[in-house]
Amino acid sequence: MLSISQLPSFSLTSVKSLRYPSSSSSLSLFFSFLPRVSNFVRASSGTPNLVACSPTESIIPRVNNAGLRIEETVDSVQGKIRIDSWISSRVIGVSRARVQSSIRLGLVTVNGRVIDKVSHNVKAGDEVNCTISELQPLKAEAEDIPLDIVYEDKHLLVVNKPAHMVVHPAPGNPTGTLVNGILHHCSLPYVAYSNPEEDDSEDEAYSDDEEMTSSSSYAASVRPGIVHRLDKGTTGLLVVAKDEHSHAHLAEQFKLHTIERVYVSLTTGVPSPPQGRIEIPIGRDSSNRIRMAAIPGGVSGGRARHAASRYKVIETFAGGGSALVEWRLETGRTHQIRAHAKYMGVPLLGDEVYGGTKSMALSLLQKRVSRSDQEEIIELISRLDRPCLHAIVLGFTHPCTGEIVKFSCPPPPDLAEIVGLLRRSGKENVN
C-alpha cells in the first residue's frame, strides 16, 4: 500500500552560496519559474561566498594514505557489523570504497586469516589488521569538455551537469563523461568513477542521486572524485571532491542523509495528496533490468532497499494535465524519484522508461491548453528527449571549514520553456 503522510509546508530557505543566471532577463525567468520557492534567492548577493580553508587545514591526513596500517581489536558490537564498515569507522580521510578495494586485494586479516569478502561480519574480540591499498592508475583520459562550474576551491567543485552527459566512464560510455572533463579542468592525478552494477552498461542504469559507496570490476580501485551521480538525462548540481579527505567526508554526509538535495520536475498528472512523504522500497524491476521499481514489502524479502522521498506540488497546469513538483530526498536510491513518481501514477514528463511517454503527455495536455498554444505544445513535447527532472539545490557541510554551504542553479531552457508555455496557457495555483 502506498505510504504517504501529510507534511507541513516546506520551502527552500537560508541559502548561503548561490549560482545565478548571467542576465537580468534570465534572473526574472528563474524567479518566475518557481514563484513559491524564490524567496531564498533574493536573500543573498549575486556572488557565491567562496570558501577559504583556515591554516588548521594542515591537520588533514595526506591524500594518498597508501600503506596506512590499522591493527586493532574489535570492541563490543551490537548486532552484525561488516568488516568494511568497521574499518571505515576507524580511519579518517579514506573512503569506504577504497577500504573495500583493500579487502578484495587481500590486505586485510582477521585473527591472522586473510579476509577478501567486504561483507564478512566481525565480532567482539576479533583482531583486525588492515593495510590501505595503493591508488591505481586511471582508466579515463582527460578531455577538453566545457563544464559549467558553479563553485570551486582547492578541495571541491560544484558542477551544473547538462542533459545527456554521463557522469563517469562505463563500458557503454568510455569517453565524453563528466569525469573526463574534470580530469582536464583540474589536472587531477586521480578521480573516482565506477559502474553502478557490474552487469549494467545501459545509460539508464545511473541513479537519480545515489552516493558512491562501492567499486566494481570495471573500476576496482578507489580515487577521490565523484561522490554521487545524476541520470544521464537529469540536469543540475553535483559536488566533486578533489582530495580523498573531502571525498570521504562528503560520502559520510550522504550516508547519514545530511546532504540537502532538492529537485524540481514536471509530472504527467498531479500527485495526490498535493504534498506528502512516500516510503516504498526500490529494487530492480524483474521484467526490465535497466529499470527500477517501487516494491512494497521488498526490504523484508531482500528484493529492494529502503527509499523515502518528500514531495510538494508547486503548481498545476492544463487542468491537472501536469504539475511542477518539488522533491526532497531522504535516501539516495537508483532512479528514486522516477520510480516513486511512477508508483504514484504520475510519471515524469518525458520519462519514456517509466511511463511518462510523449503520447501520454500529448493526450493530457494537447486539448487542455488554449487553441493558439496547441501547435507549440505538440512541437515542444515532440522534441523532449529526457525526463523533466532538475537538481536545483545542493547543500552540505564543507569538508575543510565545517561551514554549511548551499548552491542553486536555474532549470535548463527545455524545462523552462515547457513551464512557460503551460503557465501562459492557464494554471491553477496550489494553496
Side-chain angles (χ1 to χ4, degrees):
M1 184 175 67
L2 184 64
S3 175
I4 297 180
S5 58
Q6 293 287 347
L7 288 179
S9 175
F10 55 89
S11 60
L12 312 183
T13 58
S14 305
V15 171
K16 192 169 186 60
S17 301
L18 297 172
R19 167 64 182 273
Y20 280 79
S22 58
S23 67
S24 58
S25 60
S26 297
L27 189 60
S28 298
L29 176 61
F30 187 30
F31 289 150
S32 63
F33 186 88
L34 297 176
R36 296 291 299 278
V37 295
S38 62
N39 289 338
F40 73 95
V41 180
R42 298 189 173 108
S44 179
S45 67
T47 303
N49 296 328
L50 299 183
V51 177
C53 290
S54 66
T56 58
E57 67 178 358
S58 60
I59 65 174
I60 294 173
R62 56 196 174 95
V63 171
N64 195 318
N65 285 308
L68 178 67
R69 292 184 60 84
I70 303 118
E71 298 181 3
E72 289 193 37
T73 301
V74 179
D75 293 330
S76 59
V77 294
Q78 294 182 347
K80 295 181 179 180
I81 181 168
R82 289 164 47 126
I83 183 71
D84 58 340
S85 178
W86 185 85
I87 293 175
S88 296
S89 70
R90 314 304 297 172
V91 294
I92 298 174
V94 177
S95 64
R96 182 171 175 181
R98 191 168 173 203
V99 169
Q100 292 175 335
S101 178
S102 303
I103 295 170
R104 293 189 178 102
L105 289 170
L107 300 178
V108 174
T109 65
V110 176
N111 300 325
R113 182 169 63 92
V114 174
I115 300 296
D116 59 6
K117 291 186 178 181
V118 299
S119 60
H120 175 85
N121 291 322
V122 296
K123 60 183 183 299
D126 281 348
E127 294 182 2
V128 178
N129 291 347
C130 172
T131 302
I132 299 300
S133 64
E134 289 280 354
L135 293 169
Q136 300 299 312
L138 287 172
K139 297 179 180 178
E141 295 182 359
E143 296 180 49
D144 188 3
I145 300 172
L147 297 177
D148 184 3
I149 306 296
V150 175
Y151 168 84
E152 182 174 14
D153 61 29
K154 68 182 191 177
H155 298 282
L156 58 86
L157 57 89
V158 177
V159 181
N160 178 24
K161 189 189 85 67
H164 311 302
M165 176 182 275
V166 173
V167 171
H168 54 75
N173 296 96
T175 61
T177 71
L178 179 63
V179 163
N180 296 111
I182 290 171
L183 284 173
H184 181 272
H185 175 80
C186 299
S187 300
L188 289 176
Y190 305 104
V191 71
Y193 67 87
S194 68
N195 202 23
E197 294 191 14
E198 294 185 10
D199 63 344
D200 278 328
S201 58
E202 301 290 342
D203 294 338
E204 293 294 345
Y206 290 80
S207 83
D208 287 330
D209 194 359
E210 185 172 9
E211 52 267 36
M212 303 280 284
T213 56
S214 63
S215 59
S216 74
S217 61
Y218 186 70
S221 59
V222 183
R223 293 160 292 277
I226 303 300
V227 185
H228 60 129
R229 303 185 293 262
L230 292 176
D231 284 350
K232 179 180 179 180
T234 302
T235 57
L237 297 171
L238 273 170
V239 59
V240 180
K242 290 185 178 181
D243 57 72
E244 191 165 13
H245 169 80
S246 298
H247 186 275
H249 195 286
L250 290 167
E252 184 68 13
Q253 292 183 57
F254 273 98
K255 179 182 177 181
L256 297 175
H257 309 305
T258 58
I259 298 279
E260 182 175 7
R261 296 165 286 174
V262 183
Y263 294 73
V264 290
S265 72
L266 279 174
T267 57
T268 53
V270 181
S272 179
Q275 67 179 41
R277 179 176 183 271
I278 175 170
E279 185 177 5
I280 299 292
I282 291 176
R284 186 67 59 185
D285 191 325
S286 58
S287 62
N288 186 339
R289 74 177 185 86
I290 69 170
R291 186 173 62 196
M292 307 301 288
I295 307 173
V299 171
S300 59
R303 296 180 54 211
R305 300 172 67 188
H306 169 72
S309 309
R310 289 187 292 160
Y311 71 91
K312 177 183 178 181
V313 175
I314 301 170
E315 293 180 58
T316 62
F317 304 109
S322 182
L324 183 65
V325 181
E326 175 185 298
W327 300 84
R328 290 176 179 252
L329 299 181
E330 295 182 16
T331 55
R333 304 303 180 209
T334 302
H335 295 183
Q336 179 170 321
I337 292 174
R338 298 166 66 185
H340 275 169
K342 175 180 173 59
Y343 187 82
M344 294 169 65
V346 287
L348 305 188
L349 194 68
D351 194 347
E352 298 284 336
V353 174
Y354 286 87
T357 62
K358 295 177 182 179
S359 59
M360 172 180 282
L362 287 174
S363 67
L364 288 172
L365 298 175
Q366 183 177 352
K367 295 182 179 179
R368 299 187 183 190
V369 299
S370 63
R371 287 182 177 273
S372 60
D373 292 326
Q374 286 184 4
E375 186 174 334
E376 186 175 356
I377 195 67
I378 292 174
E379 180 184 355
L380 290 178
I381 295 299
S382 64
R383 294 205 312 255
L384 193 60
D385 57 0
R386 69 178 188 90
C388 289
L389 182 63
H390 176 70
I392 193 169
V393 170
L394 180 66
F396 53 88
T397 300
H398 193 283
C400 174
T401 65
E403 183 181 11
I404 296 177
V405 293
K406 295 185 184 181
F407 305 90
S408 178
C409 63
D414 61 345
L415 184 53
E417 193 173 8
I418 294 176
V419 170
L421 173 62
L422 293 174
R423 180 178 287 135
R424 184 178 73 242
S425 206
K427 68 178 183 181
E428 300 174 25
N429 286 323
V430 177
N431 293 324

